[in-house]
Amino acid sequence: MSAALAGVDEHRMVWIGHVADFLVDETEQIDLEGAIRSGKTTVALRKVLRSCLTHPGIHWLICRYSDGDTSSKLRPVFEHLAYQMGVPVEWHHDEQLYKLPNESWVYAFGLKAQTLAERYAKFRGLTLASIYNDQTEELPFDIYQELIGRLSQQGHPQQIVLTPNPMEEDSWIADEFPEDNHIRHRTYYRVSIYDNAHNLDAATVERLERVYPPGHVKHKPMLLGIRGPNVTGRPVYGPLNPHMPETAAF
């Protein structure tokens, strides 16, 4: 392991519990579902960089469903982490990828196509070892299945990593990644805001606890990372929490 990588673990951020387990998990397909501010995107990109340093020449794809979100929300975090770790990354616009000094490549683009005929065209033809998709609740199931078929680069560990927000229990993600982890080659992790609280300002946690207190319909998914419906709208029979009349809803 490089000195820069070790320095990040010790001095930049601390990973504990399920988050630490996820960071070193080599399972082929991993679903890290997390609450708001649980650090799931950051630790997943940290996992990507760790892999690139550990396996010179590996090819990754990092993506969200849209190009805009990939460019504005995923790439800046990746670049910031690389800077913190002292890992030089060089962006090649025409190829839509980062190149590292050790010949590792990290493609970065959205998966959504302009037309149905081009639905898989953006990533077909790529030879990848591993893929990271953020906000996977946006991703259609058929595209996920196609992505698994891209894991084909020889000589490197092959893995797909997903970081959705907590999903409904009848979603395709819940079907593919059951909570009891009984399906071979797949692992489901649930992380709460408290798994990352040591990396957050105390005021952030306190504020979110006020906004989504116990009994609020969004307390479980937003703070605890527990699967269930993502409720929106106004309450039909009145607020569930009398202290939060505008936010409690069914």
Side-chain angles (χ1 to χ4, degrees):
M1 182 181 298
S2 74
L5 190 63
V8 173
D9 283 339
E10 182 177 353
H11 302 296
R12 299 290 186 179
M13 295 189 76
V14 177
W15 312 108
I16 62 175
H18 293 311
V19 182
D21 294 339
F22 161 82
L23 188 60
V24 298
D25 194 333
E26 297 182 353
T27 305
E28 179 186 280
Q29 301 171 51
I30 301 179
D31 171 28
L32 178 70
E33 291 185 29
I36 187 172
R37 309 308 301 164
S38 61
K40 57 186 183 293
T41 301
T42 300
V43 73
L45 290 172
R46 171 67 176 75
K47 187 179 183 74
V48 172
L49 281 164
R50 176 193 178 101
S51 173
C52 288
L53 294 173
T54 306
H55 305 284
I58 195 170
H59 293 176
W60 272 85
L61 166 64
I62 61 173
C63 57
R64 286 184 56 166
Y65 190 43
S66 76
D67 275 317
D69 286 339
T70 302
S71 295
S72 66
K73 299 176 182 176
L74 199 59
R75 284 185 52 200
V77 179
F78 178 79
E79 292 174 5
H80 181 65
L81 283 173
Y83 173 78
Q84 285 187 322
M85 294 169 64
V87 179
V89 293
E90 183 178 294
W91 177 246
H92 292 251
H93 177 76
D94 290 344
E95 299 167 279
Q96 296 290 283
L97 63 83
Y98 295 97
K99 292 185 178 180
L100 280 66
N102 67 356
E103 303 300 324
S104 293
W105 293 359
V106 180
Y107 291 90
F109 53 80
L111 303 176
K112 189 175 182 179
Q114 296 298 313
T115 68
L116 184 61
E118 300 171 319
R119 189 166 179 81
Y120 312 121
K122 297 184 74 173
F123 52 89
R124 276 184 173 172
L126 295 182
T127 300
L128 302 167
S130 298
I131 297 168
Y132 165 46
N133 176 252
D134 188 31
Q135 299 291 107
T136 309
E137 67 270 16
E138 303 169 353
L139 193 69
F141 180 48
D142 64 300
I143 293 183
Y144 171 70
Q145 290 181 306
E146 283 283 327
L147 288 175
I148 295 174
R150 298 297 101 201
L151 307 180
S152 58
Q153 186 185 12
Q154 295 184 354
H156 295 287
Q158 298 175 359
Q159 187 173 68
I160 187 165
V161 175
L162 313 176
T163 55
N165 289 306
M167 296 298 296
E168 292 81 0
E169 295 178 353
D170 61 352
S171 69
W172 71 259
I173 297 176
D175 289 339
E176 294 294 300
F177 295 91
E179 294 183 4
D180 63 4
N181 281 321
H182 72 270
I183 302 179
R184 189 181 178 193
H185 303 307
R186 301 179 195 173
T187 302
Y188 159 77
Y189 290 97
R190 176 181 67 84
V191 291
S192 74
I193 189 174
Y194 303 106
D195 292 305
N196 192 45
H198 55 283
N199 290 319
L200 299 173
D201 186 87
T204 298
V205 178
E206 187 273 334
R207 180 170 55 254
L208 290 170
E209 287 176 331
R210 281 190 284 109
V211 174
Y212 307 109
H216 190 289
V217 291
K218 288 197 173 185
H219 176 76
K220 289 183 178 180
M222 296 296 280
L223 267 69
L224 304 182
I226 295 175
R227 286 174 171 169
N230 186 9
V231 182
T232 60
R234 288 289 190 92
V236 177
Y237 299 105
L240 180 64
N241 184 337
H243 302 294
M244 302 296 293
E246 296 299 324
T247 56
F250 286 102

